[in-house]
PDB file of all heavy atoms in Angstrom:
ATOM      1  N   LEU A 183     -20.509  17.034   7.700  1.00 98.00           N
ATOM      2  CA  LEU A 183     -19.470  17.022   6.654  1.00 98.00           C
ATOM      3  C   LEU A 183     -18.582  15.788   6.772  1.00 98.00           C
ATOM      4  O   LEU A 183     -18.177  15.201   5.759  1.00 98.00           O
ATOM      5  CB  LEU A 183     -18.605  18.286   6.738  1.00 98.00           C
ATOM      6  CG  LEU A 183     -19.323  19.603   6.419  1.00 98.00           C
ATOM      7  CD1 LEU A 183     -18.342  20.770   6.466  1.00 98.00           C
ATOM      8  CD2 LEU A 183     -20.009  19.542   5.067  1.00 98.00           C
ATOM      9  N   LEU A 184     -18.274  15.409   7.999  1.00 98.00           N
ATOM     10  CA  LEU A 184     -17.456  14.201   8.188  1.00 98.00           C
ATOM     11  C   LEU A 184     -18.185  12.974   7.648  1.00 98.00           C
ATOM     12  O   LEU A 184     -17.587  12.102   7.024  1.00 98.00           O
ATOM     13  CB  LEU A 184     -17.122  14.015   9.675  1.00 98.00           C
ATOM     14  CG  LEU A 184     -16.010  14.931  10.191  1.00 98.00           C
ATOM     15  CD1 LEU A 184     -15.923  14.855  11.717  1.00 98.00           C
ATOM     16  CD2 LEU A 184     -14.665  14.561   9.561  1.00 98.00           C
ATOM     17  N   GLU A 185     -19.490  12.954   7.880  1.00 98.00           N
ATOM     18  CA  GLU A 185     -20.322  11.839   7.389  1.00 98.00           C
ATOM     19  C   GLU A 185     -20.307  11.791   5.854  1.00 98.00           C
ATOM     20  O   GLU A 185     -20.107  10.747   5.248  1.00 98.00           O
ATOM     21  CB  GLU A 185     -21.750  12.070   7.903  1.00 98.00           C
ATOM     22  CG  GLU A 185     -22.682  10.904   7.816  1.00 98.00           C
ATOM     23  CD  GLU A 185     -22.343   9.831   8.833  1.00 98.00           C
ATOM     24  OE1 GLU A 185     -21.745  10.133   9.887  1.00 98.00           O
ATOM     25  OE2 GLU A 185     -22.677   8.685   8.544  1.00 98.00           O
ATOM     26  N   ILE A 186     -20.524  12.968   5.250  1.00 98.00           N
ATOM     27  CA  ILE A 186     -20.552  13.054   3.779  1.00 98.00           C
ATOM     28  C   ILE A 186     -19.191  12.669   3.193  1.00 98.00           C
ATOM     29  O   ILE A 186     -19.107  11.913   2.225  1.00 98.00           O
ATOM     30  CB  ILE A 186     -20.931  14.496   3.340  1.00 98.00           C
ATOM     31  CG1 ILE A 186     -22.397  14.769   3.662  1.00 98.00           C
ATOM     32  CG2 ILE A 186     -20.660  14.717   1.854  1.00 98.00           C
ATOM     33  CD1 ILE A 186     -22.767  16.244   3.615  1.00 98.00           C
ATOM     34  N   THR A 187     -18.117  13.167   3.795  1.00 98.00           N
ATOM     35  CA  THR A 187     -16.793  12.863   3.232  1.00 98.00           C
ATOM     36  C   THR A 187     -16.444  11.388   3.453  1.00 98.00           C
ATOM     37  O   THR A 187     -15.798  10.775   2.609  1.00 98.00           O
ATOM     38  CB  THR A 187     -15.692  13.781   3.818  1.00 98.00           C
ATOM     39  OG1 THR A 187     -15.790  13.770   5.222  1.00 98.00           O
ATOM     40  CG2 THR A 187     -15.817  15.197   3.331  1.00 98.00           C
ATOM     41  N   ARG A 188     -16.893  10.835   4.580  1.00 98.00           N
ATOM     42  CA  ARG A 188     -16.638   9.404   4.817  1.00 98.00           C
ATOM     43  C   ARG A 188     -17.347   8.568   3.751  1.00 98.00           C
ATOM     44  O   ARG A 188     -16.788   7.616   3.215  1.00 98.00           O
ATOM     45  CB  ARG A 188     -17.119   9.008   6.218  1.00 98.00           C
ATOM     46  CG  ARG A 188     -16.410   7.775   6.738  1.00 98.00           C
ATOM     47  CD  ARG A 188     -16.758   7.466   8.180  1.00 98.00           C
ATOM     48  NE  ARG A 188     -16.391   8.531   9.094  1.00 98.00           N
ATOM     49  CZ  ARG A 188     -17.229   9.111   9.967  1.00 98.00           C
ATOM     50  NH1 ARG A 188     -18.489   8.754  10.018  1.00 98.00           N
ATOM     51  NH2 ARG A 188     -16.820  10.058  10.783  1.00 98.00           N
ATOM     52  N   PHE A 189     -18.574   8.967   3.423  1.00 98.00           N
ATOM     53  CA  PHE A 189     -19.323   8.253   2.378  1.00 98.00           C
ATOM     54  C   PHE A 189     -18.603   8.396   1.031  1.00 98.00           C
ATOM     55  O   PHE A 189     -18.425   7.428   0.293  1.00 98.00           O
ATOM     56  CB  PHE A 189     -20.754   8.812   2.287  1.00 98.00           C
ATOM     57  CG  PHE A 189     -21.573   8.174   1.214  1.00 98.00           C
ATOM     58  CD1 PHE A 189     -22.062   6.879   1.367  1.00 98.00           C
ATOM     59  CD2 PHE A 189     -21.846   8.856   0.031  1.00 98.00           C
ATOM     60  CE1 PHE A 189     -22.815   6.275   0.353  1.00 98.00           C
ATOM     61  CE2 PHE A 189     -22.602   8.258  -0.980  1.00 98.00           C
ATOM     62  CZ  PHE A 189     -23.077   6.970  -0.806  1.00 98.00           C
ATOM     63  N   ALA A 190     -18.180   9.606   0.716  1.00 98.00           N
ATOM     64  CA  ALA A 190     -17.552   9.868  -0.590  1.00 98.00           C
ATOM     65  C   ALA A 190     -16.227   9.124  -0.749  1.00 98.00           C
ATOM     66  O   ALA A 190     -15.893   8.663  -1.838  1.00 98.00           O
ATOM     67  CB  ALA A 190     -17.339  11.376  -0.770  1.00 98.00           C
ATOM     68  N   THR A 191     -15.463   9.020   0.318  1.00 98.00           N
ATOM     69  CA  THR A 191     -14.108   8.449   0.213  1.00 98.00           C
ATOM     70  C   THR A 191     -14.041   6.994   0.641  1.00 98.00           C
ATOM     71  O   THR A 191     -12.976   6.380   0.529  1.00 98.00           O
ATOM     72  CB  THR A 191     -13.135   9.226   1.130  1.00 98.00           C
ATOM     73  OG1 THR A 191     -13.575   9.052   2.486  1.00 98.00           O
ATOM     74  CG2 THR A 191     -13.094  10.702   0.792  1.00 98.00           C
ATOM     75  N   GLY A 192     -15.137   6.468   1.178  1.00 98.00           N
ATOM     76  CA  GLY A 192     -15.085   5.125   1.754  1.00 98.00           C
ATOM     77  C   GLY A 192     -14.159   5.096   2.963  1.00 98.00           C
ATOM     78  O   GLY A 192     -13.618   4.059   3.324  1.00 98.00           O
ATOM     79  N   GLY A 193     -13.942   6.264   3.547  1.00 98.00           N
ATOM     80  CA  GLY A 193     -13.128   6.343   4.772  1.00 98.00           C
ATOM     81  C   GLY A 193     -11.639   6.546   4.517  1.00 98.00           C
ATOM     82  O   GLY A 193     -10.848   6.509   5.456  1.00 98.00           O
ATOM     83  N   LEU A 194     -11.252   6.760   3.261  1.00 98.00           N
ATOM     84  CA  LEU A 194      -9.812   6.953   2.972  1.00 98.00           C
ATOM     85  C   LEU A 194      -9.335   8.314   3.474  1.00 98.00           C
ATOM     86  O   LEU A 194      -9.839   9.356   3.058  1.00 98.00           O
ATOM     87  CB  LEU A 194      -9.544   6.842   1.466  1.00 98.00           C
ATOM     88  CG  LEU A 194      -8.071   7.001   1.076  1.00 98.00           C
ATOM     89  CD1 LEU A 194      -7.258   5.790   1.528  1.00 98.00           C
ATOM     90  CD2 LEU A 194      -7.917   7.213  -0.417  1.00 98.00           C
ATOM     91  N   ARG A 195      -8.341   8.283   4.365  1.00 98.00           N
ATOM     92  CA  ARG A 195      -7.779   9.522   4.909  1.00 98.00           C
ATOM     93  C   ARG A 195      -6.329   9.657   4.467  1.00 98.00           C
ATOM     94  O   ARG A 195      -5.663   8.666   4.186  1.00 98.00           O
ATOM     95  CB  ARG A 195      -7.823   9.495   6.442  1.00 98.00           C
ATOM     96  CG  ARG A 195      -9.242   9.457   6.925  1.00 98.00           C
ATOM     97  CD  ARG A 195      -9.488   9.815   8.356  1.00 98.00           C
ATOM     98  NE  ARG A 195      -8.411   9.836   9.286  1.00 98.00           N
ATOM     99  CZ  ARG A 195      -8.238  10.830  10.169  1.00 98.00           C
ATOM    100  NH1 ARG A 195      -9.047  11.876  10.180  1.00 98.00           N
ATOM    101  NH2 ARG A 195      -7.274  10.784  11.048  1.00 98.00           N
ATOM    102  N   ALA A 196      -5.858  10.887   4.455  1.00 98.00           N
ATOM    103  CA  ALA A 196      -4.445  11.104   4.133  1.00 98.00           C
ATOM    104  C   ALA A 196      -3.590  10.619   5.289  1.00 98.00           C
ATOM    105  O   ALA A 196      -3.966  10.760   6.454  1.00 98.00           O
ATOM    106  CB  ALA A 196      -4.203  12.591   3.903  1.00 98.00           C
ATOM    107  N   ASP A 197      -2.410  10.050   4.966  1.00 97.00           N
ATOM    108  CA  ASP A 197      -1.460   9.664   6.018  1.00 97.00           C
ATOM    109  C   ASP A 197      -0.824  10.923   6.607  1.00 97.00           C
ATOM    110  O   ASP A 197      -0.540  10.983   7.789  1.00 97.00           O
ATOM    111  CB  ASP A 197      -0.346   8.785   5.432  1.00 97.00           C
ATOM    112  CG  ASP A 197      -0.904   7.504   4.855  1.00 97.00           C
ATOM    113  OD1 ASP A 197      -1.664   6.829   5.570  1.00 97.00           O
ATOM    114  OD2 ASP A 197      -0.612   7.195   3.678  1.00 97.00           O
ATOM    115  N   GLN A 198      -0.588  11.888   5.730  1.00 98.00           N
ATOM    116  CA  GLN A 198       0.070  13.125   6.163  1.00 98.00           C
ATOM    117  C   GLN A 198      -0.588  14.311   5.466  1.00 98.00           C
ATOM    118  O   GLN A 198      -0.750  14.308   4.243  1.00 98.00           O
ATOM    119  CB  GLN A 198       1.550  13.067   5.769  1.00 98.00           C
ATOM    120  CG  GLN A 198       2.350  14.276   6.167  1.00 98.00           C
ATOM    121  CD  GLN A 198       2.864  14.160   7.595  1.00 98.00           C
ATOM    122  OE1 GLN A 198       3.687  13.327   7.892  1.00 98.00           O
ATOM    123  NE2 GLN A 198       2.345  15.004   8.482  1.00 98.00           N
ATOM    124  N   VAL A 199      -0.975  15.317   6.252  1.00 98.00           N
ATOM    125  CA  VAL A 199      -1.543  16.544   5.691  1.00 98.00           C
ATOM    126  C   VAL A 199      -0.506  17.654   5.883  1.00 98.00           C
ATOM    127  O   VAL A 199      -0.123  17.949   7.011  1.00 98.00           O
ATOM    128  CB  VAL A 199      -2.843  16.953   6.423  1.00 98.00           C
ATOM    129  CG1 VAL A 199      -3.437  18.214   5.807  1.00 98.00           C
ATOM    130  CG2 VAL A 199      -3.859  15.820   6.418  1.00 98.00           C
TER     131      VAL A 199
END
Side-chain angles (χ1 to χ4, degrees):
L183 294 183
L184 283 170
E185 195 72 26
I186 290 165
T187 50
R188 203 173 299 127
F189 178 74
T191 63
L194 181 70
R195 296 197 344 135
D197 298 309
Q198 180 86 67
V199 181

